[in-house]
Amino acid sequence: MLRDQIHRSHFFNLPLLGNSSIIKRSTYSPAVLRQPFPAKKHNNTRINYSCSNIKAKYSPSVGKSMTMKGVITVQPTISDSLVNVTVGLIKHVVDGVKDHLKRSFLLELVAANLDSSGKEKERVKAYASYIGLDDDGKLYRYECMFEVPQEFGKIGAVLIENKHHSEMYLKNVVLGDDEITFTCESWIHSKHDNPDKRIFFTDKSYLPSETPDGLKSLREKDLLSLRGNGEGERKTFERIYDYDMYDDLGDPDTSSDLGRPVLGGEKYPYPRRCRTGRKMTSTEPWSESRTTLPFYVPRDEDFSEIKEASFGARTLYSVLHAVVPTLDSILTDSNKGFSSFKDIELLYDEGGDDIPMENGLLSCLPRLVKSVADSTQNALQFETPRTMERDSFSWFHDEEFCRQTLAGVNPYSIKLVTEWPLMSKLDPKVYGPAESAITKEIIEQEIGGLMTLDEALEQKKLFLLDYHDLLLPYVNKVRELEGTTLYGSRTLMFLTSKGTLRPLAIELSRPPNNGKPQWKHVYTPCWDSTGAWLWKLAKAHVLAHDSGYHELVSHWLRTHCVTEPYIIATKRHLSKMHPVQRLLCPHLRYTMEINSLARLALINAGGIIESSFSLAKYSMQLSSDAYAQQWRFDHEALPDDLISRGMAIEDENASHGIKLTIEDYPFANDGLLLWDAIKQWATAYITFYYPQPNLVESDEELQSWWTEIRTVGHGDKKNEPWWPNLKTQQDLIKVVSTIMWVSSAHHSAVNFGQYDYAGYFPNRPTIARIKMPNEDPTEEEWQTFLNKPEDVLLNCFPTKIQATKVMAVLDVLSSHSLDEEYIGANMEAEWGEEPAIKAAFEEFNGRLKELEGIIDSRNRDPNLKNRYGAGLVPYELLKPFSEHGVTGKGVPYSISI
């Protein structure tokens, strides 16, 4: 039942060519099906058909025409082997007859150039029929024969009509001895769903101004077909890209408590998402109705089946709709926390046999929840995160608390202190006095006479995690909710002579409320028992703030969310034959699908984020605030991000053009090498296609693309002065390099270490459920803290159900799929068409392989104490390549999970 609920109708109908042509059942045995099909566009090699005597070629024919053979390659779906004899039988029979009668596909060849009178040359048509499997037995082949007039000239496009009743996944079309290739990698709808033929262009790229005359109208027609008219509900087979606000996070028709504001617009600025056109709710006509899988994303944005089957949408959906309810049924008390740290440790097991669930719901999750063994004892067994495996006390150490701001899962928040005193920008009439309670005296006492505060500022020794102004407006609202609390926070750290950080002070603040004045308190590392436990609790609150900011801003907003408008604009305005479209294509795969799933069950009202993080129902409003106050496109490239946080300064003599403020900053050190490789690759690519600056400004597709990103996709910021111009090659290089960085390295840095760093939740609790013991305590509260401070800390941590739900989700989000496409690993087919581009990519690939070795070398260097030391997990999040699974390394091209 679960599979039927979440799987699209991806059926490719097996040909029924009479009894002698039925494909043998053994060909599609379960063992074969578990093997991954060839991944999408993994290299530039083409299938060799010579063994089957069907290699495409020209041959002279009678009269003034030539016979050309064409081969269509179709990827079968996993569904092919699962269709039973009763479901879809009529369609199978009809499609089998069409295959037998050579009516599977209708192809029309389009000449690249017009005839001598300026008219389009008559298209050459042929029907393709099924001829069998390729040599590996994994791809279907269809063959057609064209009679091409000798004066037809160069072929520029092919139009294809799918005569089956079901959609098909076309890998490519190859024509003639010259192997004219059309790399399709696309679902092609049935003519019964849409009579319009699909347009595919050859692998050669053209700027709009260089488009052959015979293809100009098709180029525009193909783009228009992707834009739609902004009306109606989208259908699953469609490929329509349009914009909408985030108006589908709430579920007011189910409960008034699940209503949420629309994100996007003047009140709650936000990037736009892809429009689905679902009907509005009856309770709130401004909110779009909720849905279950399958949900609409443009057809080619959907996960490949092997990705979906390995973990993707299927596994994450299973976690949310099978594992989580199972946990709910076991952990019946939703407010129950852990009674001891031993209780927490029982969640993990380094070995032991799997215990299958009676209902089989966990069978697709081999490492996620190893067993739900004994419901009476709540014995859940998860994989042990590497941080805990290497040092089970690492979460307790102040030095690790600081080190993870440089080499953990959220290295994007730490910044240099440049002004003193620390001041809030919030209205003091509403939030109380603006000056921080962290004083000069506190700092100099904690520094211990090493230097004065002024000297520390001058020598760039003070660093800050500052969540004060972003969180403080939510404190009173969050405190009205059950099971959570909140503060505004500042955490000050000092850079030691060894290049490591140590904490100096944590300030927690509460604004005035209900007649109570502003409350703020500064906590410092202490040598007395009471102070030491208060310090541990203050760290737990800061870590909950950092966890929320990481998921809602560093991760979701700055990668997933802001990228969706880039995808929509790219598909709407850059033709498939546009070189920039082909450069960005691998960086945009699957993102819309995972974003839709996030709206369905992660960031929605009552979803994982709201039920397990401190901000609860206000989580996405905070994300909107961060977008409004902090996000700037011109700060998203790594060097600009580091400079904006004071973590680097421009330096022409430095190897990357910038000098780091903290020399041993693992994320920045590895990231700058990867940024340089990405930018060098983009530079070679862009300068090849745009040798003169005026070509950038005169490219109408490119200009409309950039305009729509700024004014529609990110329309709430369209008037910001910091948007880059797009006039020269350097402008374009910086823009595309930034998009490539965000979708690959930035996302990897904040995503694939989540289970290692947060799978043991005391290291990164997602929520702080109770206030500090010294904030307006009753006598009973204070005595409870003094008598059993460990119990107070455990009560501050997430509940059992919150912790296990988050652990389950983080395990999936930290996984690489079997068909992961790592940056620079394999060449796109279109890139290999130009020798200069091919050479540039091979250089890019070589630099990434060198980076692997450099990172390994750095992780073995005892002088780099932020990445090498007893019990430390090596910093590998920006190593480009990885095996599948949870590895803590690997940089995919795109945001695919």
Side-chain angles (χ1 to χ4, degrees), residues 14 59 80 117 122 193 231 236 292 383 476 669 728 773 839 844:
L14 296 178
S59 61
D80 292 348
S117 65
E122 184 177 352
D193 289 328
E231 298 177 358
T236 56
T292 57
E383 293 286 347
N476 290 332
N669 283 301
T728 68
F844 179 47

Side-chain angles (χ1 to χ4, degrees), residues 229-294:
N229 58 9
E231 298 177 358
E233 183 172 356
R234 300 270 62 90
K235 299 177 179 63
T236 56
F237 64 83
E238 292 181 324
R239 300 164 57 247
I240 302 298
Y241 297 79
D242 203 355
Y243 299 93
D244 207 346
M245 296 183 183
Y246 279 75
D247 59 357
D248 64 342
L249 301 180
D251 191 9
D253 283 353
T254 298
S255 169
S256 59
D257 292 336
L258 296 178
R260 294 293 181 269
V262 174
L263 301 186
E266 185 176 354
K267 187 173 183 180
Y268 297 107
Y270 218 55
R272 299 302 189 259
R273 65 169 177 91
C274 185
R275 179 183 177 278
T276 64
R278 296 191 301 267
K279 67 179 182 179
M280 311 310 280
T281 63
S282 58
T283 308
E284 295 178 354
W286 56 87
S287 296
E288 189 172 85
S289 60
R290 301 285 296 163
T291 187
T292 57
L293 292 177

Side-chain angles (χ1 to χ4, degrees), residues 46-59 67-72 131 135 141-145 174-181:
R46 298 184 178 90
I47 299 171
N48 184 355
Y49 299 110
S50 58
C51 295
S52 300
N53 196 31
I54 60 170
K55 186 175 178 65
K57 64 180 182 179
Y58 281 104
S59 61
T67 300
M68 173 184 285
K69 182 178 289 186
V71 175
I72 301 177
I131 59 170
D135 293 337
R141 298 179 306 188
Y142 291 75
E143 181 183 298
C144 59
M145 302 298 292
V174 180
L175 306 175
D177 270 338
D178 292 334
E179 290 195 342
I180 303 169
T181 302

Side-chain angles (χ1 to χ4, degrees), residues 116-167:
S116 58
S117 65
K119 296 181 179 180
E120 181 182 316
K121 296 177 182 177
E122 184 177 352
R123 295 171 185 174
V124 178
K125 301 180 182 182
Y127 286 97
S129 59
Y130 177 75
I131 59 170
L133 294 166
D134 70 345
D135 293 337
D136 294 328
K138 294 179 180 179
L139 299 173
Y140 296 153
R141 298 179 306 188
Y142 291 75
E143 181 183 298
C144 59
M145 302 298 292
F146 297 97
E147 290 296 323
V148 184
Q150 290 182 342
E151 67 273 13
F152 192 76
K154 187 175 182 181
I155 298 169
V158 60
L159 276 57
I160 303 179
E161 179 180 85
N162 172 19
K163 292 187 171 296
H164 295 85
H165 279 77
S166 299
E167 61 185 355

Side-chain angles (χ1 to χ4, degrees), residues 476 510-518:
N476 290 332
R510 178 202 70 197
N513 187 38
N514 295 329
K516 292 183 178 181
Q518 180 194 67

Side-chain angles (χ1 to χ4, degrees), residues 723-777:
W723 283 106
N725 294 317
L726 198 58
K727 295 183 177 180
T728 68
Q729 301 105 318
Q730 292 305 313
D731 294 337
L732 180 55
I733 290 166
K734 186 65 174 290
V735 166
V736 298
S737 297
T738 299
I739 293 174
M740 293 159 71
W741 164 265
V742 167
S743 59
S744 58
H746 180 156
H747 179 258
S748 296
V750 299
N751 183 75
F752 291 106
Q754 289 187 94
Y755 192 77
D756 280 340
Y757 286 99
Y760 183 67
F761 67 85
N763 188 59
R764 288 188 66 79
T766 58
I767 189 171
R769 295 189 293 138
I770 60 174
K771 65 182 179 64
M772 290 294 294
N774 64 322
E775 183 201 339
D776 302 332

